[in-house]
Amino acid sequence: MAQIVRLSGPDAVAFAQAQFANDIPSLADGHWQWSAWLTAKGRVIAIFQLLRLDAQELLLVCHDGGAAAIAEQLRRFVFRRKVVVSHADTLSVNAALQAPTEADGARIARRDGDVVELDVGSLALPRTLLLGPATAAATPGEELAWRQSDLRFGLPRLVDAQREQWTPQQLGLDRLAAYSVKKGCYPGQEIVARTHFLGKAKRSLALLHTVATPEAGTAVSQNGATIGSVASSAGVLALAVLPLEMAEGPLQVLDADAHIMPLLDGLAR
């Protein structure tokens, strides 16, 4: 399940602005946005929710875990900035496929006992995250249902083998408003901006339904030729990076037919 990285101190916002793909100073206190951390070559290391609790405290909700490793990597770039980067291992992330009671869109809500409530759904598919003390662990069925709901919204869930493989455009992060092409320098910014302004994106995410149960990295083929691969999967659902322009004909994953399904809107913040 998701884990949390905390950035705290007078330079927390400035540090995050220099490292992450979205525009943090424009985010109001008590609100959150999607963001990403990229390599210098513009490949996605991690996708996360960035919560701006106030001007000196940010939380990164890392849905694919790895918070301790991400925090350790980020510390290498602190230098003289007044910011402390830590794995917030005392906070747990609990999910529910139901509408939030107080949070709305990008606005964070504080509930009893210092619990933070987030609206991570839409009218078509309401969902809530609660950051706070641990509760009962999700069952395998509940975890699968949540992961599949992520994929239906076009939120990639990246295993280690899929990190540093894809650009934000290839992962469709524009649908989540997870990166900025107007802000100043950050790792990978030149690649992201050039791809955006020159219209060089040739691939993006598609949601597939297949009777097979593919793993990340599984090839997607059409008319006997490989045309893409699975970036994220959950049971019979998968997000695959495919050409924006494809020939007519059915798709196959693991020798089984795969059908493109429409992605749900409403997760951008």
Side-chain angles (χ1 to χ4, degrees):
M1 194 55 183
Q3 297 177 351
I4 299 173
V5 173
R6 175 182 280 114
L7 308 181
S8 57
D11 292 338
V13 170
F15 175 77
Q17 179 74 347
Q19 291 298 321
F20 305 141
N22 219 336
D23 189 16
I24 289 87
S26 66
L27 184 66
D29 289 352
H31 289 70
W32 70 272
Q33 61 183 197
W34 293 103
S35 194
W37 192 28
L38 313 180
T39 68
K41 294 183 178 181
R43 298 302 191 264
V44 176
I45 300 170
I47 304 162
F48 47 84
Q49 292 170 266
L50 188 148
L51 284 58
R52 179 167 169 161
L53 300 183
D54 56 46
Q56 297 196 35
E57 186 173 12
L58 308 177
L59 299 180
L60 314 183
V61 181
C62 305
H63 289 250
D64 298 309
I70 291 172
E72 182 179 357
Q73 286 180 278
L74 284 171
R75 288 188 201 107
R76 300 173 186 171
F77 303 98
V78 169
F79 302 119
R80 296 184 180 180
R81 290 192 186 273
K82 296 178 181 178
V83 58
V84 176
V85 183
S86 60
H87 173 200
D89 54 4
T90 60
L91 288 176
S92 179
V93 182
N94 304 295
L97 290 169
Q98 61 188 41
T101 59
E102 299 177 40
D104 181 35
R107 183 177 58 80
I108 297 165
R110 298 273 195 165
R111 291 176 40 174
D112 294 341
D114 258 353
V115 172
V116 174
E117 183 184 67
L118 304 176
D119 176 5
V120 289
S122 68
L123 290 176
L125 182 55
R127 308 191 313 163
T128 300
L129 283 183
L130 297 176
L131 316 185
T135 59
T139 66
E142 291 170 336
E143 176 66 18
L144 176 61
W146 185 266
R147 288 180 66 91
Q148 289 186 330
S149 70
D150 278 340
L151 302 197
R152 291 180 65 196
F153 276 116
L155 173 62
R157 297 293 302 272
L158 300 180
V159 297
D160 287 345
Q162 294 299 306
R163 299 182 191 271
E164 303 186 28
Q165 299 295 313
W166 310 106
T167 66
Q169 285 94 341
Q170 288 171 333
L171 290 180
L173 297 190
D174 51 305
R175 297 188 71 259
L176 302 179
Y179 62 89
S180 170
V181 295
K182 298 180 180 179
K183 66 175 276 189
C185 186
Y186 59 87
Q189 181 267 342
E190 183 178 352
I191 305 296
V192 171
R194 184 188 306 139
T195 302
H196 174 80
F197 289 113
L198 297 182
K200 289 187 175 181
K202 298 181 192 259
R203 292 173 172 267
S204 192
L205 280 190
L207 176 64
L208 302 181
H209 182 279
T210 175
V211 295
T213 53
E215 296 183 354
T218 300
V220 180
S221 60
Q222 183 184 50
N223 300 325
T226 297
I227 63 167
S229 69
V230 171
S232 184
S233 66
V236 296
L237 295 184
L239 289 175
V241 179
L242 299 177
L244 292 173
E245 297 182 7
M246 293 188 295
E248 294 292 331
L251 303 178
Q252 288 83 37
V253 176
L254 296 175
D255 297 322
D257 285 347
H259 305 281
I260 295 179
M261 299 175 60
L263 289 162
L264 292 177
D265 292 322
L267 200 57
R269 296 291 185 263

